[in-house]
């Protein structure tokens, strides 16, 4: 295709050639945790803050997020850090209200085929980060994006987060072939999530570097100030210091390709 | 586990030991098509009629069903044939209205992880046919059922409809291991859909017999009076005469196991 | 295709319409174990005896079989029970010598792509039971059979033994779609191995019945007089009494389809 | 684990921190083709030359390689270019003779479970490049390496070449998670084959860069002077000029990580 379409999220632009970092905890757990994580990722150089209100958990007894109770807190922390928010939306009935809080809607892996939700997001016009379903072909993923676009919203960013295979040493199999294929054959900006794509903190930095090397436009990284106390996904979260170290490695690698991290 | 829980849909009971047949076209296309298919499957011995209002199609340009425009027609045909209706529900905002028309809610493969929808169905109390997501483990499938149950609705029937593998000779890989496993380890009634599970009309009868042989409580079969003119899934639909022949083969096979087709 | 080609193994014929039972322990462990298992499966109605000399074990430290040390014993037990032997061959250098002992060469799942071995078996002319590699497409499987045939040996029987998927509740996913597809589109006799196809003794009988129902020409079943003391695969072996019960259920199911178990 | 074991192939050392390039055509087709490809990859900076004598082709009618007829030619070209040879071995009966010609035995994806072959290679003592079977777990792959080691040969290099999934846009799904995992948890040198891992020339360079970025010790790349006339795998082969450009990009990326391409 050649050129990547540009999608603006606040002052941050995806698809400019510069790499955008989306970071933060898996979910908002409480005020202290969220504020400290937000400040830490801001300091480390993140451009967009993960603000998880609603979690889709396989087990109905697992922590499901604070829901709308955390909207106010997220707004405050976003203002304090000057970081736009990316938030997962799980229900078409939430779109209108969440659109007032979040800057970038995230569609999670379990909802890529939820076409009524995608249509609602298409009508909202807000930027959408569309994660690949963990067993979706590239064709199906692009057709899901088409559901959003054909409802009038071209602001779609794709996010590779790993597919399900027979391999169990890692939580998912991060499919970077898909990144290279999409860069060559479509004009969508592509984000990679090595946290879910590996499920192991130890593997996040090497796979983040690999994603940048094959052309990703952004990286979504789970960062937590106390991963072992996290209510979800702690085993794949980086500490702030690890995230800082990763951003420095990324800066060097990108420079070797005449690219850089996003800067306004 | 031993005994299977019984779930009643109109006068039809799943889990009684007798095999229930759910049949009909993939979607309601128009009055003539739906009425002729309904009468044909009634004559051939079906117990529940497929009434597809809303189709989740991968491509946004594909036929998506007639939606609520077909509610009235479905009610009439259900009354004429005395067959209860099974209908796919795709949006939590539809549950209340559809509950007046349909006797059995179907959750399709793309919505097994749609927990807000499952919760809404749990609150409705109506029987739910929960299809397995095409890349769901048995654990995840059972936890999805738990979302419905923990909202207060124990009337859950599971439906195996094939999983996604590397094999491309068939549309999906029908996993009958799952049926045997679930019969041995849970008390849910289990339905098998060999139409989607194979994607080829030629393979529907042998796999329906196999499903019955390993203990399925019901079979969901696509039947169309003019498969080649069907707006969706024509290549996997049986003709009424083929369906009649299959019911006879099933009757003989079940008798060899001291079972039978459902009769009131 | 219509008619199935007939392949004779001693006095037993595959593809006649009658169902052939291959049974016995996973491997020959010692004289007492092998003789007692052989007599038990003979009594229960098996037609061909599993005689495992060489085991391909993933771990080099696992029990690998007694090798050629067990040839003499196998010959004696075969003569005593009047059961032909099926034995896995793992090395092209073994073909000539094993051809004097075994009546049916088995190619295991790990060797379906071992074309030098397949060529050697093609030259030998002896019947070959070709198991599907656990990630082989039907096309690849048929092309592997073609390696044997094009070397001059048409006596090929295919054996479905389960494929590898994301599902971990069972050891493999038994793909009975493949049986229905191969019966409809090729003339090979098809055997199904529900022991490896499920990996759990509890699921062997229902899946054996399902395999018979969709047209299998034979079943390969692990039977052991003391499964818990077996050196390999004990968790999937049936006790002789369970195998006897299964043969009775099979006899009834086959009768409902105007078929029967093999009888000379 | 920390340090990577070093494995020497001629004067080339794997596991030194420097990246080794193995390149050349899929198979030796004729003298002119092989010599021109060899000289081209030498000029472009390759360190080891692919010399394919025996090809395992799924279809028995496909080109199977020139076999031992090409041994003499390969020796001459190796001497002319001063490049050591890597050659696939497919039969335990070939090991002794091939050991005189080749510097590095390659075990292809179809033979990872061929334990008699692995044992023979263990006894030979020569370095072995062990490709991952396309449906092997990391555990199974490491146990296959153990078959070689436990026969007395520690000179094992692992090669990730893509796994089989449901995705069909690419020939295989290159699993770079495996590279990061193996670097963190074992001491084997790891080579990546982006040619087979993607199956498309367009994707080879980005995935080669990604592999280098996450720590690969070597890259195996198909290069052909006339890909469209290649007897096998032409659609994934790079032209010499594309390979040269890739080596330059790799040099820059490695420098950003304080690494470099192999130099004696």
């Amino acid at each position: 295709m050649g050129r990547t379409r540009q999608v603006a999220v606040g002052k941050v632009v995806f698809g400019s050639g510069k790499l955008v970092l989306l970071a933060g905890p898996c979910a908002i757990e409480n005020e202290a945790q969220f504020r400290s994580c937000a400040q830490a990722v801001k300091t480390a150089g993140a451009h967009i803050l993960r603000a998880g209100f609603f979690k889709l958990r396989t087990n109905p007894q697992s922590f499901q997020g604070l829901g709308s109770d955390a909207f106010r807190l997220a707004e405050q922390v976003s203002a304090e850090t000057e970081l736009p928010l990316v938030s997962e939306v799980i229900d078409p009935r939430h779109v209108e209200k969440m659109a007032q809080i979040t800057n970038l809607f995230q569609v999670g892996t379990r909802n890529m085929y939820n076409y009524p939700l995608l249509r609602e997001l298409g009508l909202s016009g807000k930027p959408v980060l569309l994660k690949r379903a963990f067993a979706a072909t590239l064709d199906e993923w692009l057709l899901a994006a088409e559901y959003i676009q054909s409802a009038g919203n071209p602001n779609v960013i794709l996010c590779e987060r790993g597919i399900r295979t027979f391999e169990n040493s890692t939580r998912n199999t991060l499919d970077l072939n898909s990144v290279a294929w999409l860069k060559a054959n479509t004009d969508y900006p592509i984000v990679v999530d090595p946290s879910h794509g590996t499920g192991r903190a130890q593997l996040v930095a090497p796979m983040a570097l690999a994603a940048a090397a094959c052309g990703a436009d952004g990286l979504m990284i789970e960062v937590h100030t106390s991963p072992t106390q996290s209510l979800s996904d702690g085993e794949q979260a980086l500490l702030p210091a690890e995230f800082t170290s990763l951003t420095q490695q990324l800066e060097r690698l990108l420079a070797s390709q005449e690219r850089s991290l996003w800067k306004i």
Side-chain angles (χ1 to χ4, degrees), chain A residues 25-262:
Chain A
C26 180
I28 302 178
E29 299 170 8
N30 58 59
E31 183 167 346
Q33 167 258 8
F34 186 58
R35 184 168 275 115
S36 73
C37 287
Q39 289 168 341
V41 301
K42 167 75 175 180
T43 304
H47 309 108
I48 296 182
L49 178 62
R50 289 172 57 106
F53 303 114
F54 301 97
K55 305 303 301 174
L56 281 178
R57 303 298 299 278
T58 303
N59 190 325
Q61 314 308 331
S62 300
F63 173 64
Q64 312 267 331
L66 299 181
S68 55
D69 293 349
F71 282 4
R72 189 71 175 274
L73 170 63
E75 264 187 314
Q76 290 172 353
V77 172
S78 173
E80 290 161 21
T81 56
E82 296 182 74
L83 292 175
L85 301 178
V86 55
S87 302
E88 182 167 357
V89 57
I90 65 170
D91 190 324
R93 297 168 295 191
H94 295 173
V95 172
E96 194 176 341
K97 198 167 173 198
M98 282 185 70
Q100 299 164 22
I101 307 295
T102 195
N103 303 88
L104 174 59
F105 278 118
Q106 176 182 324
V107 176
T109 191
R110 293 178 186 80
N111 274 319
M112 193 204 84
Y113 300 107
N114 188 341
Y115 304 135
L117 177 63
L118 299 185
R119 278 236 182 70
E120 208 66 51
L121 293 169
L123 295 173
S124 87
K126 279 237 165 186
V128 179
L129 184 76
L130 179 64
K131 285 196 159 187
R132 181 185 189 178
F134 54 66
T137 61
L138 297 191
D139 272 358
E140 291 172 340
W141 194 8
L142 292 172
L143 286 165
E146 195 57 35
Y147 267 95
I148 301 169
Q149 288 204 105
S150 62
N153 184 354
N155 299 305
V156 179
I157 302 161
L158 301 178
C159 178
E160 163 67 34
R161 50 74 73 205
I163 59 174
R164 182 165 283 184
T165 68
F166 56 84
E167 179 58 62
N168 290 318
S169 299
T170 48
R171 184 175 175 183
N172 292 286
T173 296
L174 189 65
D175 178 13
L176 294 183
N177 275 4
S178 76
V179 178
W181 191 94
L182 291 166
K183 293 304 294 177
N185 295 289
T186 77
D187 73 342
Y188 290 107
I190 315 295
V191 166
V192 172
D193 175 347
S195 303
H196 286 86
T198 65
R200 290 167 157 253
Q202 178 189 48
L203 307 181
V204 169
M207 295 311 287
L209 292 163
C214 67
D217 298 286
L219 292 171
M220 186 169 220
I221 313 266
E222 286 193 27
V223 179
H224 199 288
T225 47
S226 308
T228 57
Q229 289 166 42
S230 172
L231 296 180
S232 55
D233 289 348
E235 67 288 349
Q236 69 195 32
L238 296 190
L239 287 164
E242 294 167 328
F243 179 60
T244 303
S245 164
L246 171 58
T247 60
Q248 293 161 352
Q249 295 175 66
L250 285 166
E251 192 71 91
R252 287 195 295 272
L253 183 144
L254 290 165
S256 80
Q257 300 188 328
E258 294 169 33
R259 298 179 64 198
S260 70
L261 292 171
W262 169 258

